[in-house]
Amino acid sequence: MARKKAAAAAPAEPPKQRLVLEGALHHSSSSKGGAAGSHAELVKRLTSVHDQLRDFDQDTVDTSSLDRCADELVDPILLLHKDKSVKALVAACIVDILRLYAPEAPYTPAQLHDLFEFLTNQLKYAGDPKDPNQPEHFYVVDSLASVKSIVLVCDLDHDDQLLSRIFAVVFDTVSSQTPKNVTLALSDILLSLLDEATSIPPGVINALTAQFIPSRANSSSRASKGKDRASGPDDDNNTESAHERRAAFRLAVDVARAASDKLQRYVSQYFSETVLASVNGGNGVRGARSGDDDDEDDEMSEPESSADDDEGTARGRGRGKRRAKTKARAKLAKDSHFVPGGGARNGMETGEYASLPAQLVDAHRLIRSLNRHVPALLLNVIPQLAEELTSNEPLLRILATDFLGQMLGEPVGRGDLAKNNPGVWKEWLKRARDKDAKVRIKMCDRLEPIWREHPELAQDVEGQFPSLSLPLSSYRRI
């Protein structure tokens, strides 16, 4: 009988965990002890709160004991404090508040916006070995990544700007000195945001794709050495800046590959609305400038300056101004973050494609880089690019023949453009019968790597030789 009563007795619930904090979390500098005493006391109290919150479990904590502290942590006095140690401790406490109250945060939308602006600023210090507050900084990024409280950003009104800023800050933060665990946590933060967001703002696509654009300085260096500028930021010169670009590039590749299915539509929209639309809604296209194109990628030679060039440039600028009111150009001016490659100077393209909008040529360089590293992003972009092969403008056909030819000649595993886009491959082969000899010559220039890297395409290529109708000197390039 006693055993039955014991079995029927309900197990005693463990006591609730409660935060112990006497008085207010912070005091003004006019309080007893002066500014120095107040600061030391503030650090001491924040450390105590952080130590307690860190050990609390969501299932056993009494959140009512946290209410006052949660409210004080978003006080501007703390969020805008000048001391980095104070802000690091505040951030560590805030992420625990978000963890313990999940899934509902104890803040208004306005407070949440200010709170995540503050946390975004704190991300800039994560992984810096010289920062004495690294334990707190890693605690913050690890919590945002593992608890996924960062996704609360996606529930805020007008969250596009904040989302874009988080991506920009993360890519600016990561460097060769960033520990791997910090980089992984930052990657998880970005992937959580991409997964949760109902739509991806252009600023996020800007920040992500910008990591695939070679820097101007290193592009120029490679051009002077006759190297391939399409290799991507991970092949920059051995400098500290290059190391940091490579770190951000690797992070961008990992994020883009993991979220490629969701990003495809937005990448396609990005190119069609902000870049490729410049063909129809942007600067006019003048006739192709004469000159030789270097055999490696798009390393253009500098054109000789002349009065005719200056006059033509002025006419091009005039046309650009008259059409600046179009939607595509307005969006391009607002959203484009393209870093011109070595061929562009002060926003103006030089060399063979000087009469094309620099943003358009840079877009093709970016597409080429994305195809090499994350081809899945370009599922809907390559067909857009292929449409230029049949443009009425000879220079656009040359541009498309050039860059598609480079992508078709990539080694197996780097895009496999012909295999994945047989229609584009067939259309590219038709340039052998293009009425413009310069288009046919450009195709001939790009045949060698295709022949070398993809022997399975040799029969298709060889079948075009009777159609090329080129001087013997052009065939000798192959």
Side-chain angles (χ1 to χ4, degrees):
M1 191 71 174
R3 290 181 180 179
K4 290 183 179 180
K5 289 184 178 180
E13 292 187 1
K16 289 285 187 178
Q17 297 172 308
R18 296 181 58 84
L19 178 66
V20 178
L21 177 64
E22 296 182 3
L25 183 59
H26 62 84
H27 304 282
S28 66
S29 59
S30 60
S31 299
K32 184 178 179 180
S38 178
H39 175 266
E41 179 64 20
L42 176 59
V43 171
K44 180 179 178 180
R45 294 172 73 82
L46 284 171
T47 301
S48 174
V49 170
H50 174 45
D51 290 342
Q52 293 180 68
L53 295 177
R54 180 174 52 194
D55 294 333
F56 287 171
D57 186 88
Q58 186 183 31
D59 295 329
T60 58
V61 69
D62 179 2
T63 54
S64 65
S65 70
L66 310 180
D67 290 344
R68 180 169 58 85
C69 178
D71 188 56
E72 288 187 82
L73 284 170
V74 294
D75 191 309
I77 292 178
L78 294 181
L79 297 184
L80 301 177
H81 204 281
K82 295 181 179 180
D83 186 82
K84 292 183 177 180
S85 297
V86 168
K87 288 191 287 189
L89 285 167
V90 170
C93 291
I94 286 176
V95 294
D96 268 330
I97 292 293
L98 296 176
R99 172 178 64 85
L100 295 170
Y101 278 87
E104 300 296 332
Y107 299 113
T108 66
Q111 287 176 318
L112 279 174
H113 186 275
D114 291 343
L115 179 156
F116 280 111
E117 284 281 6
F118 168 74
L119 291 178
T120 300
N121 286 332
Q122 292 303 110
L123 292 179
K124 295 185 292 187
Y125 306 108
D128 182 356
K130 299 178 182 178
D131 193 316
N133 302 304
Q134 276 312 297
E136 289 76 28
H137 293 317
F138 177 71
Y139 190 84
V140 169
V141 297
D142 184 59
S143 178
L144 291 174
S146 59
V147 180
K148 299 187 185 300
S149 51
I150 190 71
V151 301
L152 290 171
V153 170
C154 301
D155 295 330
L156 300 176
D157 292 334
H158 310 296
D159 63 329
D160 287 5
Q161 185 175 0
L162 185 53
L163 269 175
S164 301
R165 185 163 177 269
I166 291 172
F167 273 74
V169 167
V170 168
F171 285 122
D172 286 343
T173 296
V174 69
S175 72
S176 59
Q177 295 183 327
T178 304
K180 186 174 182 179
N181 57 350
V182 174
T183 301
L184 290 174
L186 292 173
S187 176
D188 287 343
I189 287 173
L190 298 187
L191 288 172
S192 295
L193 289 171
L194 290 175
D195 183 60
E196 186 71 17
T198 55
S199 63
I200 310 299
V204 168
I205 304 300
N206 280 337
L208 181 65
T209 57
Q211 310 312 314
F212 293 86
I213 305 174
S215 67
R216 180 189 301 240
N218 287 303
S219 293
S220 300
S221 174
R222 273 193 295 275
S224 66
K225 296 179 181 179
K227 294 184 179 180
D228 177 5
R229 283 205 318 249
S231 299
D234 53 336
D235 290 330
D236 280 341
N237 293 332
N238 187 24
T239 65
E240 182 60 31
S241 175
H243 280 304
E244 295 189 6
R245 280 183 57 79
R246 281 200 292 272
F249 169 75
R250 287 193 295 268
L251 175 60
V253 169
D254 291 341
V255 170
R257 286 176 176 171
S260 59
D261 289 345
K262 185 163 187 177
L263 288 170
Q264 284 171 356
R265 176 165 66 93
Y266 298 99
V267 171
S268 175
Q269 182 179 349
Y270 173 73
F271 280 111
S272 62
E273 289 188 358
T274 67
V275 182
L276 298 183
S278 64
V279 178
N280 299 319
N283 293 352
V285 179
R286 294 182 277 134
R289 186 187 300 273
S290 60
D292 294 331
D293 179 34
D294 191 89
D295 193 44
E296 283 293 331
D297 285 313
D298 56 345
E299 293 167 8
M300 308 300 174
S301 58
E302 287 284 340
E304 296 181 2
S305 60
S306 67
D308 291 340
D309 288 344
D310 294 339
E311 181 181 354
T313 301
R315 286 198 300 270
R317 289 174 178 169
R319 284 193 295 272
K321 291 180 180 179
R322 286 192 297 272
R323 298 176 181 178
K325 293 183 179 180
T326 64
K327 180 179 179 180
R329 292 302 293 165
K331 187 171 182 62
L332 180 64
K334 179 180 179 181
D335 293 335
S336 178
H337 283 191
F338 282 122
V339 179
R345 295 292 181 269
N346 299 322
M348 298 297 292
E349 185 67 26
T350 62
E352 183 177 13
Y353 303 123
S355 54
L356 291 175
Q359 293 90 342
L360 178 64
V361 182
D362 284 334
H364 286 68
R365 295 184 178 119
L366 175 55
I367 291 171
R368 179 186 57 192
S369 181
L370 288 171
N371 177 73
R372 171 172 289 185
H373 301 289
V374 198
L377 289 183
L378 302 177
L379 180 66
N380 301 314
V381 175
I382 296 299
Q384 296 180 45
L385 194 62
E387 290 178 3
E388 295 175 355
L389 292 171
T390 57
S391 169
N392 291 329
E393 295 289 347
L395 190 54
L396 280 180
R397 298 202 304 276
I398 293 173
L399 180 72
T401 301
D402 184 2
F403 281 88
L404 281 171
Q406 293 177 46
M407 290 186 279
L408 287 163
E410 291 281 8
V412 174
R414 285 193 169 186
D416 297 331
L417 191 62
K419 177 181 178 181
N420 297 327
N421 300 270
V424 174
W425 167 238
K426 292 179 181 178
E427 188 61 46
W428 189 83
L429 286 175
K430 291 180 182 179
R431 293 314 97 211
R433 299 186 297 275
D434 196 282
K435 60 184 179 181
D436 193 305
K438 292 182 179 179
V439 176
R440 302 196 300 270
I441 290 173
K442 183 61 69 176
M443 178 187 177
C444 191
D445 288 343
R446 299 307 176 198
L447 283 176
E448 180 182 2
I450 298 174
W451 210 336
R452 181 180 65 247
E453 300 294 341
H454 300 276
E456 73 280 5
L457 302 176
Q459 186 174 356
D460 292 343
V461 172
E462 291 168 1
Q464 300 305 313
F465 275 90
S467 304
L468 282 172
S469 303
L470 294 175
L472 180 62
S473 60
S474 296
Y475 290 111
R476 288 173 180 168
R477 301 184 188 184
I478 302 179

